[in-house]
Every structure is written in C-alpha cells, then in structure tokens.
Amino acid sequence: MTGGQFLGDGPAVLAFDVGGTDTKAGLFDEHGSLREIVRVPTPYSTDGSGDAVLTQLAVLAGQFAARHPDIAPRAAGLIVPGLVDDDAGIGVRAENLGWQNVPFRDAASATLGAPVAFTHDVRAAGTAEYHLGAAGRFRNVMVVVIGTGIASALFIDGKPYSASGYAGEIGHAVVDVGGAPCACGGNGCLEAIASAGAITRLYNRDAAAPVAGAREVLDLARSGDALAASVWNTATDALGLALSQAVALLAPEAIVLGGGLAQAGNALFAPVEERMNSFLTFHRRPVLLPATVGENAGLVGAALGARSLLAGAQA
Ligand SMILES: [Zn+2]
C-alpha cells in the first residue's frame, strides 16, 4: 500500500506501531499517502520504563526528516500492545516488552516535539477499519482481530469505547470452563482455544507431526485429518459462542473479523456465523465482514488518530 491514497488530504503525520516483535514507522504526506514505511526490532525495556522505545521513535523520526525534507509532519500517532489507558495516555503494561505505567503520550510528544495521539494497537486497527473499511456505514461495530491472540475494538453509537483500556478483551472471556490454560493466567479463554497460536498449539499437542501454523491445520482439516478438523471446529464453535454473547450485550450491526486467521475466508466466516446465529433468538443478527484495510491497519489507524488531533487544520 506504500504510495496509496489512504487518508485523503490533510496535514502530514508520523505513525508508529510498536509491536511485540517489530516496530513499524510510517510517514504520511499531505495527500494521505504512506510515503515510507520502516520496520525495526522493538527494544525490550530492561528497567520497566519506555525510554528505549522513545529513543527509537526519535531516531526513526530523524531518519524520515533527513530523507524527506519536503514533508513536515505536524503530529504523530503512537500505538502499543498490552493494557493501554487511552484517556490517561499511559501504557499500563506489556509483559513481553517489559514496561509498566509509561506515560507514552506525553513523553513521546516531548521527544518528537509534536502532539501525539496514543492508543492500543487493536483499537487503532479498529479505527482504520471503522473509518476506511466496510463497517463505516454502521454506528455499532465490533472489530475482532484474530492472530497470535484475540482482541477487539468497540464502536458504540459511532464512538470508540475503551473503558480505560479494559473493554474489548473478548480473547480473555471464558468459553470453556476449566479449559486450556491461557497466557493471562486463566483457563478456557477464547484466545486459548481459537487464536491462530492456540489452533497451532492444540493441534501439535496431539499430532504425530507438528505444524508451523494455523493455516496448515486448516489445510489438513480440508484433506480429511480428523484431529485438525476437530481443533478447527472447536475454534470456530468457540468464536461463534463468544460473538453471540457480544451480540446479546452490545447488539453490533456489524462484526469485522481481521488478523491472520481471517485470511482463511469462508472456512472461518461460514462456521463462525452459523454457530453464532445458532445461539441467537430474538437478537438482531449482525453482518460478519472481513477486514479490508490490510496488514498496516494499525499504522493507518495511528495516522488517523494523529490527523484527528489536527482536525480543522490545513495541510
Ligand atoms: Zn486469557
């Protein structure tokens, strides 16, 4: 999508997607085109602070400035994983990156010398899907990202809903009491059964020959492997159950499924929708839509957040 007309005309902005493994940095120009994207390893915080991440953001911004002297970003969007308090601008914790209670929004703003929009990576991806994807015509939308883990972004009456970062964690809602252990410390969480990581793990636990990923489990299920079919069906059943509960509570008009597992297309969407609907009676049935913004949805959402800080400003 580099060079694509994604955001439309507006101020140039920087976007940073600090991931569990890699950090992506993007420079969006006054036409909303992603002029350059850079990917570097995310530094682990050895002291609980976000200093290593912040230093890296400054270096990346400096590289963009040197290579693109014609583009003057006016704001930045920064997204991180883990538990994120959007309103307070704090990265509360990210176990696998080592930080705790880092005031990322204000610190990044001071480091970069520009206003910073700060949020969770899945909420940013959800924002991109909501504003640029297929769900934008609805006011009540749930965007579920199914990859290594499972999380969601909620839009209620047209507004994002995060509840200080605690909302949307459908991956850690229990769908199998006493079931498989989850990284969060619980058992039977949706994420421990239906994420791409869990599908791979649960297949390999009982398989004669291990596979590298959920895609292979699906391929094996299609070729008649009973274990693979069982793991896949258990996952889609669990997703259908979890989504039906979200429907009962929030009544979204649309549910967008994204992330690596959504690449499975109809092999995921058909059984999940059928299972979800089997649990619904009087409820309003949502449409299930595939995510359309693509692998840089988080980065695009971060850029939209930066643009929103400058709303009304001219390019
Ligand atoms: Zn969990």
Side-chain angles (χ1 to χ4, degrees):
M1 63 170 277
T2 300
Q5 298 284 320
F6 249 81
L7 306 182
D9 289 346
V13 294
L14 293 164
F16 300 101
D17 178 355
V18 177
T21 307
D22 288 338
T23 291
K24 288 192 281 189
L27 175 64
F28 291 81
D29 67 14
E30 288 85 353
H31 303 294
S33 294
L34 180 53
R35 290 284 292 271
E36 186 179 358
I37 182 167
V38 175
R39 185 189 283 261
V40 294
T42 301
Y44 182 83
S45 172
T46 53
D47 58 1
S49 82
D51 292 355
V53 169
L54 291 161
T55 299
Q56 188 174 66
L57 300 187
V59 168
L60 291 164
Q63 291 171 351
F64 282 145
R67 288 197 291 266
H68 304 275
D70 56 316
I71 302 174
R74 305 250 311 272
L78 170 61
I79 63 175
V80 303
L83 184 60
V84 177
D85 186 337
D86 295 8
D87 299 331
I90 291 173
V92 179
R93 65 172 173 267
E95 269 89 8
N96 55 357
L97 289 171
W99 69 60
Q100 276 200 333
N101 293 318
V102 177
F104 272 115
R105 184 184 58 210
D106 293 347
S109 182
T111 299
L112 299 170
V116 171
F118 175 70
T119 188
H120 184 251
D121 51 6
V122 169
R123 282 195 289 281
T127 297
E129 292 294 341
Y130 187 59
H131 289 285
L132 302 172
R137 64 186 188 274
F138 301 107
R139 287 181 61 77
N140 296 286
V141 174
M142 183 174 188
V143 180
V144 185
V145 178
I146 313 167
T148 313
I150 299 178
S152 73
L154 303 173
F155 298 85
I156 297 174
D157 285 338
K159 298 192 190 75
Y161 178 78
S162 76
S164 303
Y166 286 94
E169 295 282 7
I170 192 171
H172 301 287
V174 173
V175 292
D176 180 20
V177 175
C182 181
C184 76
N187 286 87
C189 293
L190 178 65
E191 180 173 306
I193 295 164
S195 64
I199 288 170
T200 309
R201 197 162 53 245
L202 291 171
Y203 179 80
N204 286 344
R205 188 186 64 185
D206 296 326
V211 296
R215 158 67 58 183
E216 289 169 65
V217 177
L218 175 59
D219 289 343
L220 285 164
R222 282 169 160 160
S223 64
D225 182 306
L227 173 61
S230 167
V231 169
W232 187 263
N233 293 341
T234 301
T236 55
D237 280 357
L239 283 164
L241 173 60
L243 294 184
S244 76
Q245 292 170 332
V247 168
L249 196 61
L250 300 171
E253 295 143 291
I255 297 176
V256 177
L257 301 183
L261 205 67
Q263 303 294 319
N266 208 40
L268 180 79
F269 280 74
V272 168
E273 183 165 31
E274 185 186 344
R275 198 68 174 146
M276 176 185 75
N277 285 336
S278 77
F279 293 120
L280 300 177
T281 55
F282 65 90
H283 313 81
R284 178 170 64 190
R285 281 161 166 64
V287 291
L288 259 57
L289 300 169
T292 56
V293 176
E295 61 173 342
N296 291 322
L299 205 63
V300 172
L304 286 171
R307 280 271 184 93
S308 72
L309 293 178
L310 305 166
Q314 296 302 306

